[in-house]
Amino acid sequence: MKRLIIFSGRLVLTIVFSLVTMLGNAQSITRQYDNVSLSKALMELNDLQQTYTINFIYDELEDFRVTTSIKHKTVTEAIMQIVGFYPVRVVKRGESEIYVECTHKTERHLTGTIIDENRQPVPYANVYLLHPSDSTVIGGGVSNEAGVFVIPYEQPTVLARISYVGYKTIYKLCSNEQVGTIQMKPETMTINGVVVKGSRRIIKNATDRLQYLVSADEFAKGLTALELMSRVPLLQASEDGVSIVGKGSTHFLLNGRELPDDMVNAKLRSLKSDDIERVEVITIPPSKYKAEPNAGYVNIVLRRDQTLGLRGDLMGGLHFKEHTNWDVMPSVNYATKKLDVSFSAGVSDVKGSNDHTQTTTFSDHEKQSEYVRSFDWKTYNANLLAKYQLSQKIDLGVLSSISTNQMDINQHDVTREWNTETVTDMTSPKPKNFNLSAELFLDWMLDTKGKMMTLTYDYLNNYAKQDERLTSTLQNMQTTGSSRYRIDAYKMDFTLPLPIANVETGLHYTHIGNSSDVNIYSDATGSWQKDLGQSNEFDYTEQTAAAYVSAWRQFSKKFSAKVGLRLEKTWIEGRQITTNATNRDHYLYVFPTVHFSWNPSDKAHFGAAYSKGIARPDFQSLNPFRYYMTPTNYFAGNPYLTPGLTDNVEVNFSNGRGLYAVLYESHQKDALGSPTTFTPDGIQSTTMENCFSSDKTGLYVSWQRNFFPWWNVNLGGEVFYSQSIAKSEASGLRNLYSWSGKGEVSSDWFLNRQHTLVLSASYTHYFPYVSMTAKYESMALLYAQLRYSLLDNRLRLNLSVSDPFRQNITRSTSQYDGYTIYTTNYVHPHSVNLSATWSFGGNKVRRSYRQSKNTEAGRASTR
């Protein structure tokens, strides 16, 4: 019976450990081993540190010999070095347990020593074990630094083939486990010249996501996270935001924690590329994520450094447009042995303007409307994350975020119809919007094999106040009101690494409550009178219970798959208090997800995926209140909207050398649109409806290459076919069909030998395309940037220019039975930007992180 010896140490430092890269903690180990057993080396490593408990079966590893010199390595790096190329697996389970085991457990171990013509050890020689009858490979290994190899095998007799570059290949028939010393003889070769080229892979493919490795991209240094997104395949990035190619909506996760939509841009501007380990693009989310329609996720994974102490960053920027805008974003991170705390804040003042023109052509006349809107938007936000290690198996934590903003709006509108001109001035004197969110969580490691239970409670409370005043030559109006919504979500998730597959399963329950009121006044009679016919109160509740299960399995070195099912039951109720009208509904859907991954070689990758999703209307779309732009032009929601269903399919390919391609198809039924109608007395209304079905099929290709060590080029392009089929009962909408695409190119140049001065430029051209109920004309985006790092990268300066030739203008056409609407919208994106970031404190303080899948907050956005 074999002796099982488990060596244990006292845990003193919380470690965040990556199973893929096997990164360890920051404790430094220096040690010399000379032909000792692997078991003895592991015993000594266990005694040298108190961070990990190293578990192994003594007799199983005793035959493997170790000869190596470890210098200033972390614990996990030291373990990986002594294991070398032996058939031994190292697995981290939990925060402090490391398991080391032989992957080929046999009674026989072929052991020998390889030396050269000078009787010196030959390290890293290849040893293959072949079947004596047909020379098929039945095992293999590599010699260590002492020239020793140990290879498990089962055949009574094997044929060993020993090879090494520059030496003659040796074949030796072995019937005993000990083959002794094998001396290799040099092989005469003539080499005219050798040119070695190498580069680290920037793009990797997991089963259900694309991974962009930031540290492998030397041209990514010194970028903000927002600027970094433009270097990631499948992502379209601009000052307005980031989106995934072919997706209707894009959500952002920070180490798995979802960011509210109105905080994404601020967070992307405050994060630096130096803080980011990788960016993951999830185009077909697995069943653990909410079943949204044609949605994708971008997960930003921060570096998980382990040094204790304090560090921080202070970032400030000036943005020169028609007005000077500014923002300041400080952040501080502090880590002790058991407690991690991260705090960040932001203050910004953004002034801007928006030029909008709309021309509607009828059979007998035209209606023209032009408005210029100016705004002053001040935002304040603060975020806190605290995580405490209650024990070796239990972590407790709290996340909280608070934000408020005020937007002062002034709009001047001129509308001309039938030789009549109506002038309307709208002011909105700084209505406040307040948002508070919090998350409580408990992570409980159930065993040493990686089974985990996570309990989570999410809370979101938002209050928005409305106050708009219209002064018009036709009629003066005032709209006041408020909107309050609250989300309570309870989640129980399990991670279960089972022998047959890695399983994730869980139960979620979400309760959403929204209470809104609007009061509309007019002074057409010379005094303010409340319009009881349009003033109203609206209460909305939505409850969703969900259960999901997904399983991932690596069937072979080349093939893996992930499948899942999500079941969602939803109950909704909308009640207009003033009119005493109530709408109730409930529905049950099952949403499957399937991912396949095939790697025919070490670099090439093929993937395929399918998912089904549901498009639930947001609160504003369900709210039946009227929001007036002018006394004759308003927008209104629809409490009778129903969810739309979406099917998504994609096939992707990458060659590991910079080429990535994805073929996608999306079909949505009962999609939401906002058709515009006109009454005989000239009232223009835009109302949300389930008015069409849509299809989009496209091919996206990107290619990245470093032509020289100082010059990098990214090329990309997309071609797609889209169509919008109007429902027969829709308000005069036409069916739309279109072939379209885009082309993009970006380049980076190092301007000095230290690679601290970088020039970047990018250009994207969008061809005419169809989206929802409109056809859009072509447009272009040009962006250039110069960045400089100094003082050992603690100070980073950035100068950039956006849209210098004013090509970013949106022009669209919407065709209806009886009239056509032409729209031009220009948001003045051209700007010159100057920013600086100063880093202080330690360089490697670990950052707290947390997984969260709250996707409901985005539906609570207000206009």
Side-chain angles (χ1 to χ4, degrees):
M1 179 178 181
K2 293 187 176 181
R3 295 169 293 156
L4 179 62
I5 302 179
I6 300 180
F7 299 90
S8 301
R10 182 170 55 88
L11 183 66
V12 297
L13 179 65
T14 303
I15 302 298
V16 179
F17 187 90
S18 170
L19 291 177
V20 178
T21 58
M22 305 302 283
L23 296 175
N25 71 324
Q27 181 176 354
S28 178
I29 292 178
T30 299
R31 197 74 180 92
Q32 178 74 35
Y33 294 105
D34 186 13
N35 198 31
V36 301
S37 69
L38 181 55
S39 297
K40 183 177 180 180
L42 290 173
M43 291 172 59
E44 187 169 283
L45 283 180
N46 187 80
D47 295 336
L48 286 175
Q49 49 82 39
Q50 295 180 320
T51 300
Y52 290 108
T53 299
I54 304 175
N55 305 276
F56 61 94
I57 297 177
Y58 189 93
D59 289 350
E60 186 177 271
L61 305 178
E62 179 66 9
D63 289 340
F64 297 99
R65 314 303 294 177
V66 176
T67 299
T68 189
S69 178
I70 300 174
K71 295 182 179 180
H72 305 297
K73 299 290 186 180
T74 64
V75 177
T76 50
E77 288 173 341
I79 294 176
M80 296 305 297
Q81 183 171 330
I82 67 173
V83 166
F85 295 98
Y86 285 137
V88 174
R89 177 169 54 197
V90 181
V91 178
K92 162 74 167 51
R93 292 171 180 166
E95 295 288 337
S96 59
E97 299 282 333
I98 295 179
Y99 287 77
V100 184
E101 62 177 343
C102 181
T103 57
H104 298 85
K105 300 176 182 180
T106 62
E107 293 294 330
R108 298 183 177 89
H109 292 80
L110 188 69
T111 303
T113 303
I114 304 173
I115 60 175
D116 61 14
E117 71 278 16
N118 299 317
R119 306 196 64 81
Q120 297 298 312
V122 178
Y124 314 123
N126 294 311
V127 181
Y128 287 96
L129 303 187
L130 312 178
H131 197 285
S133 61
D134 56 11
S135 297
T136 56
V137 177
I138 58 177
V142 179
S143 61
N144 64 14
E145 295 180 24
V148 176
F149 63 88
V150 180
I151 305 174
Y153 71 105
E154 297 178 353
Q155 291 288 123
T157 303
V158 295
L159 179 65
R161 189 186 71 174
I162 302 98
S163 62
Y164 190 76
V165 176
Y167 291 86
K168 294 180 179 180
T169 300
I170 296 176
Y171 290 87
K172 186 176 181 65
L173 191 64
C174 307
S175 56
N176 298 318
E177 294 185 44
Q178 301 292 333
V179 298
T181 300
I182 301 174
Q183 187 174 25
M184 305 195 72
K185 297 181 179 180
E187 184 173 25
T188 304
M189 295 183 296
T190 301
I191 302 179
N192 295 324
V194 178
V195 177
V196 179
K197 293 184 178 181
S199 62
R200 293 183 292 175
R201 293 182 62 181
I202 298 176
I203 303 300
K204 292 181 63 178
N205 292 93
T207 304
D208 61 351
R209 65 196 63 190
L210 175 147
Q211 296 178 335
Y212 165 77
L213 308 180
V214 180
S215 61
D217 187 357
E218 195 172 3
F219 290 89
K221 294 179 181 178
L223 297 176
T224 66
L226 180 60
E227 296 163 340
L228 183 70
M229 296 301 116
S230 63
R231 300 191 61 79
V232 183
L234 286 174
L235 296 188
Q236 301 175 151
S238 68
E239 289 297 314
D240 298 328
V242 180
S243 61
I244 300 176
V245 170
K247 294 299 172 182
S249 60
T250 300
H251 302 288
F252 271 82
L253 307 171
L254 185 64
N255 285 324
R257 175 180 181 261
E258 186 167 357
L259 296 173
D261 291 343
D262 57 355
M263 295 179 60
V264 169
N265 268 11
K267 195 65 179 178
L268 292 181
R269 286 183 172 89
S270 64
L271 280 174
K272 308 185 305 296
S273 59
D274 297 340
D275 300 324
I276 301 173
E277 177 182 318
R278 65 183 183 275
V279 178
E280 300 178 336
V281 183
I282 310 170
T283 53
I284 304 286
S287 61
K288 186 173 184 177
Y289 296 84
K290 193 169 182 63
E292 294 184 90
N294 193 28
Y297 286 78
V298 178
N299 185 28
I300 299 175
V301 181
L302 300 182
R303 296 184 187 276
R304 302 176 183 180
D305 299 321
Q306 303 300 318
T307 305
L308 304 180
L310 177 72
R311 70 158 285 181
D313 300 291
L314 178 62
M315 179 179 177
L318 292 173
H319 312 278
F320 303 98
K321 306 175 71 173
E322 288 85 354
H323 307 277
T324 301
N325 302 325
W326 59 269
D327 51 58
V328 177
M329 290 166 281
S331 63
V332 176
N333 303 274
Y334 181 70
T336 67
K337 293 180 179 179
K338 287 185 172 292
L339 178 66
D340 295 342
V341 179
S342 296
F343 174 81
S344 63
V347 181
S348 65
D349 186 2
V350 178
K351 298 180 178 68
S353 59
N354 179 16
D355 300 338
H356 182 94
T357 63
Q358 184 180 94
T359 300
T360 304
T361 60
F362 300 91
S363 59
D364 54 354
H365 74 288
E366 282 189 353
K367 178 180 181 180
Q368 294 181 338
S369 177
E370 300 178 2
Y371 74 70
V372 177
R373 174 182 294 183
S374 60
F375 61 88
D376 184 358
W377 187 21
K378 293 181 174 64
T379 61
Y380 311 86
N381 65 81
N383 303 278
L384 175 70
L385 167 60
K387 182 178 179 182
Y388 180 74
Q389 186 183 38
L390 187 64
S391 68
Q392 293 186 7
K393 295 185 177 181
I394 300 177
D395 286 336
L396 298 175
V398 58
L399 299 90
S400 63
S401 175
I402 184 172
S403 64
T404 182
N405 64 75
Q406 292 180 324
M407 182 181 288
D408 189 1
I409 302 175
N410 292 276
Q411 179 175 300
H412 181 72
D413 182 282
V414 179
T415 300
R416 301 177 182 89
E417 186 176 17
W418 296 112
N419 297 321
T420 300
E421 182 177 278
T422 303
V423 178
T424 303
D425 289 301
M426 186 270 284
T427 61
S428 181
K430 297 183 179 180
K432 293 184 178 180
N433 189 320
F434 176 81
N435 186 85
L436 173 66
S437 64
E439 180 180 286
L440 303 175
F441 63 88
L442 180 147
D443 293 334
W444 188 355
M445 189 65 64
L446 301 177
D447 63 7
T448 59
K449 298 181 179 180
K451 294 185 177 67
M452 175 181 284
M453 178 181 71
T454 299
L455 302 177
T456 307
Y457 167 67
D458 287 316
Y459 169 83
L460 175 66
N461 196 319
N462 180 277
Y463 172 77
K465 188 176 180 179
Q466 181 186 10
D467 186 1
E468 295 180 355
R469 301 171 188 177
L470 300 180
T471 303
S472 173
T473 55
L474 183 65
Q475 179 185 9
N476 296 335
M477 301 180 64
Q478 181 177 1
T479 302
T480 63
S482 61
S483 176
R484 301 174 179 85
Y485 57 82
R486 172 171 172 168
I487 300 176
D488 296 271
Y490 306 86
K491 305 173 185 178
M492 180 169 61
D493 299 283
F494 292 90
T495 302
L496 307 173
L498 303 178
I500 191 173
N502 289 335
V503 176
E504 292 181 322
T505 186
L507 300 172
H508 295 173
Y509 171 77
T510 303
H511 182 277
I512 302 172
N514 173 245
S515 178
S516 304
D517 65 88
V518 64
N519 301 289
I520 297 179
Y521 302 86
S522 64
D523 70 344
T525 60
S527 61
W528 288 106
Q529 299 290 329
K530 185 175 182 178
D531 190 337
L532 299 179
Q534 298 193 67
S535 301
N536 198 358
E537 295 182 32
F538 180 68
D539 287 345
Y540 175 82
T541 59
E542 178 179 303
Q543 302 175 74
T544 300
Y548 74 90
V549 61
S550 67
W552 174 86
R553 181 172 179 179
Q554 186 79 38
F555 290 93
S556 68
K557 182 179 179 181
K558 296 183 178 181
F559 181 72
S560 64
K562 188 172 188 177
V563 297
L565 283 176
R566 185 179 182 93
L567 176 72
E568 291 187 1
K569 173 71 174 180
T570 302
W571 301 264
I572 63 172
E573 178 179 297
R575 186 161 63 99
Q576 301 179 55
I577 297 176
T578 305
T579 61
N580 198 29
T582 301
N583 177 50
R584 295 185 178 91
D585 195 8
H586 63 88
Y587 43 84
L588 173 68
Y589 290 105
V590 177
F591 304 99
T593 58
V594 182
H595 296 82
F596 296 104
S597 176
W598 177 47
N599 301 293
S601 66
D602 291 339
K603 294 183 178 181
H605 167 84
F606 287 92
Y610 165 80
S611 72
K612 195 175 189 68
I614 183 171
R616 293 182 175 87
D618 59 47
F619 302 154
Q620 195 71 24
S621 298
L622 291 164
N623 194 325
F625 301 162
R626 294 181 177 182
Y627 298 92
Y628 282 88
M629 301 288 291
T630 72
T632 60
N633 184 1
Y634 68 85
F635 170 88
N638 181 358
Y640 301 101
L641 294 175
T642 59
L645 296 177
T646 301
D647 293 279
N648 302 292
V649 181
E650 74 170 38
V651 178
N652 57 72
F653 165 77
S654 64
N655 68 350
R657 297 181 179 90
L659 178 65
Y660 182 84
V662 57
L663 177 67
Y664 62 87
E665 158 68 17
S666 175
H667 171 75
Q668 185 170 359
K669 181 181 178 182
D670 292 330
L672 294 179
S674 50
T676 298
T677 60
F678 297 86
T679 62
D681 56 356
I683 301 298
Q684 176 179 335
S685 64
T686 303
T687 307
M688 298 300 298
E689 295 183 17
N690 296 102
C691 57
F692 68 97
S693 297
S694 67
D695 283 277
K696 186 177 181 181
T697 304
L699 173 66
Y700 170 82
V701 179
S702 69
W703 178 69
Q704 182 273 341
R705 182 172 180 179
N706 293 347
F707 286 98
F708 300 100
W710 49 269
W711 183 27
N712 168 264
V713 173
N714 284 273
L715 299 176
E718 180 186 11
V719 59
F720 60 86
Y721 177 80
S722 58
Q723 62 179 16
S724 297
I725 308 300
K727 298 176 67 172
S728 59
E729 64 270 22
S731 302
L733 284 172
R734 301 277 187 89
N735 295 340
L736 299 177
Y737 310 88
S738 173
W739 279 98
S740 185
K742 71 168 185 176
E744 55 189 4
V745 58
S746 64
S747 188
D748 304 90
W749 299 267
F750 286 130
L751 302 183
N752 61 356
R753 293 183 178 180
Q754 295 78 20
H755 291 186
T756 56
L757 184 62
V758 186
L759 175 64
S760 302
S762 64
Y763 181 80
T764 304
H765 183 86
Y766 297 89
F767 296 95
Y769 65 97
V770 168
S771 178
M772 298 179 66
T773 59
K775 286 185 177 180
Y776 290 84
E777 297 183 16
S778 60
M779 59 177 293
L781 303 174
L782 176 62
Y783 180 79
Q785 177 190 74
L786 182 67
R787 57 187 187 271
Y788 181 49
S789 301
L790 62 162
L791 300 180
D792 194 24
N793 203 37
R794 286 186 176 269
L795 178 61
R796 291 168 295 278
L797 304 177
N798 191 314
L799 175 65
S800 64
V801 58
S802 178
D803 193 30
F805 304 113
R806 306 192 180 193
Q807 298 173 288
N808 187 2
I809 303 176
T810 302
R811 299 180 177 91
S812 64
T813 302
S814 298
Q815 291 186 323
Y816 297 82
D817 292 335
Y819 54 93
T820 303
I821 300 176
Y822 303 93
T823 303
T824 300
N825 193 42
Y826 182 47
V827 297
H828 297 261
H830 59 276
S831 63
V832 176
N833 311 288
L834 177 63
S835 64
T837 302
W838 169 257
S839 300
F840 58 90
N843 289 324
K844 294 185 178 181
V845 173
R846 65 185 176 208
R847 292 178 179 268
S848 301
Y849 69 102
R850 167 71 186 147
Q851 291 187 349
S852 174
K853 303 294 181 290
N854 183 10
T855 60
E856 296 293 350
R859 296 174 57 217
S861 61
T862 58
R863 290 183 175 87

